């Protein structure tokens, strides 16, 4: 199994407070992704990173920011949490050994269940 | 824009029945990749298979098989002789190829909840 951990695993917070979720990998993979999972929507991409300090927005990026200061850590921040951000958040990583034109398999962390009251 | 549709929201079968989970996708890319993931009740996402758009051979892995048909933009998943342990949410996903500004981002279907009764 890919070495991916997420912290915290569960969090309850109040509307308007800042929240930071951490994804840590031990695989030295270049690509990292944050998704959220909601009933009826599957998983949707929030932000992704293609290298240290290289990040970009995904499909549902409003209200979220990310940072990647080193290969192993990818942080997701909710600047001011809202109830609509109650969700399960998954981090994923993928290898970069293949050349352009290919796509590596993404492996997922265990998830973080966030509740915003 | 890419899109993945899993029209079956929930499926319920009795153990030992065969079951097929449908996946239909839309993309303008000529090179793309299709995936299936399993999410058991414990919540983790387990990778099952990856196929690229140039390989239409069907694949079998034990009781699992996958039927990829570009002509109908479908990538269906069949479980033969289902077991209670197969109960899970199954996701089909589509990825663009890496290169240029593409970074292998996944587009997921809504998921199909499979319940296998003893």
């Amino acid at each position: 199994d890919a070495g991916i951990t997420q912290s915290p695993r569960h969090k309850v917070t109040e509307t308007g407070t800042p929240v930071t979720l951490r994804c840590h990998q031990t695989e030295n993979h270049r690509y990292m992704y944050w998704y959220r999972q909601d009933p009826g929507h599957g998983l949707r991409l929030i932000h992704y990173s293609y290298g240290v300090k290289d990040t970009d927005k995904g499909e549902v990026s409003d209200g979220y920011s990310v940072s990647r200061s080193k290969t192993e850590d990818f942080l997701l921040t909710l600047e001011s949490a809202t109830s609509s951000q109650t969700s399960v958040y998954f981090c994923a990583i993928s290898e970069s050994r293949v050349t352009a034109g290919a796509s590596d398999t993404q492996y997922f962390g265990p998830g973080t269940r966030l509740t915003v009251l | 824009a890419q899109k993945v549709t899993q029209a079956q929201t929930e499926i319920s079968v009795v153990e030992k029945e065969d079951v097929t989970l449908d996946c239909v996708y839309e993309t303008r890319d000529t090179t793309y990749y299709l995936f299936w993931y399993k999410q058991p009740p414990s919540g983790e996402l387990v990778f099952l298979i990856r196929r690229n758009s140039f390989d239409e051979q069907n694949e079998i892995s034990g009781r699992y098989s996958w039927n990829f048909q570009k002509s109908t933009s479908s990538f269906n998943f069949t479980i033969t002789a289902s077991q209670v342990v197969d109960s899970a949410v199954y996701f089909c996903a589509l990825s663009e190829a890496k290169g240029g500004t593409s970074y292998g981002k996944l587009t997921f279907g809504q998921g199909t909840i499979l319940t296998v009764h003893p």
Side-chain angles (χ1 to χ4, degrees):
Chain A
D1 290 339
I4 314 168
T5 57
Q6 292 184 232
S7 58
R9 294 294 313 281
H10 302 271
K11 186 171 182 66
V12 180
T13 191
E14 294 188 350
T15 298
T17 59
V19 177
T20 295
L21 308 182
R22 181 186 184 226
C23 178
H24 178 77
Q25 59 146 328
T26 58
E27 306 296 323
N28 201 35
H29 287 351
R30 177 183 175 189
Y31 298 90
M32 299 185 75
Y33 310 81
W34 276 107
Y35 295 86
R36 59 178 289 174
Q37 180 180 9
D38 304 290
H41 292 278
L43 282 81
R44 293 177 291 174
L45 182 65
I46 305 171
H47 280 280
Y48 62 98
S49 170
Y50 46 96
V52 174
K53 297 188 179 179
D54 292 323
T55 65
D56 204 349
K57 298 178 180 180
E59 177 188 356
V60 290
S61 60
D62 286 349
Y64 301 95
S65 63
V66 290
S67 66
R68 191 168 178 202
S69 59
K70 45 187 178 178
T71 300
E72 57 266 35
D73 288 327
F74 192 31
L75 304 180
L76 177 70
T77 297
L78 291 66
E79 302 290 349
S80 178
T82 67
S83 59
S84 64
Q85 294 176 311
T86 292
S87 187
V88 180
Y89 291 86
F90 286 97
C91 173
I93 66 174
S94 71
E95 301 173 343
S96 61
R97 294 199 293 251
V98 297
T99 58
S103 181
D104 300 301
T105 298
Q106 289 186 27
Y107 293 94
F108 286 80
T112 294
R113 183 173 295 276
L114 176 67
T115 302
V116 184
L117 301 175
Chain B
Q2 298 181 317
K3 185 178 180 181
V4 176
T5 301
Q6 296 178 253
Q8 305 150 308
T9 303
E10 293 191 49
I11 299 176
S12 181
V13 299
V14 176
E15 207 169 20
K16 298 184 182 178
E17 285 185 21
D18 298 347
V19 57
T20 296
L21 283 62
D22 297 333
C23 173
V24 174
Y25 62 91
E26 298 174 26
T27 180
R28 295 179 181 175
D29 294 333
T30 55
T31 303
Y32 53 89
Y33 294 77
L34 294 162
F35 301 80
W36 277 94
Y37 286 87
K38 174 182 179 180
Q39 187 177 43
S42 52
E44 72 271 25
L45 284 156
V46 179
F47 164 72
L48 295 177
I49 189 171
R50 180 185 80 174
R51 304 295 283 177
N52 71 55
S53 53
F54 299 111
D55 183 1
E56 288 192 71
Q57 280 191 344
N58 292 333
E59 179 152 344
I60 298 174
S61 176
R63 296 184 297 105
Y64 295 172
S65 62
W66 290 269
N67 185 328
F68 176 29
Q69 292 193 335
K70 286 180 75 171
S71 61
T72 56
S73 297
S74 64
F75 186 44
N76 296 337
F77 173 31
T78 297
I79 302 174
T80 302
S82 60
Q83 300 176 0
V84 172
V85 293
D86 295 327
S87 297
V89 183
Y90 291 87
F91 291 100
C92 180
L94 171 67
S95 171
E96 57 197 354
K98 286 178 182 169
T101 58
S102 298
Y103 297 101
K105 297 170 285 185
L106 286 174
T107 298
F108 281 83
Q110 303 91 321
T112 297
I113 302 170
L114 174 65
T115 303
V116 182
H117 299 281

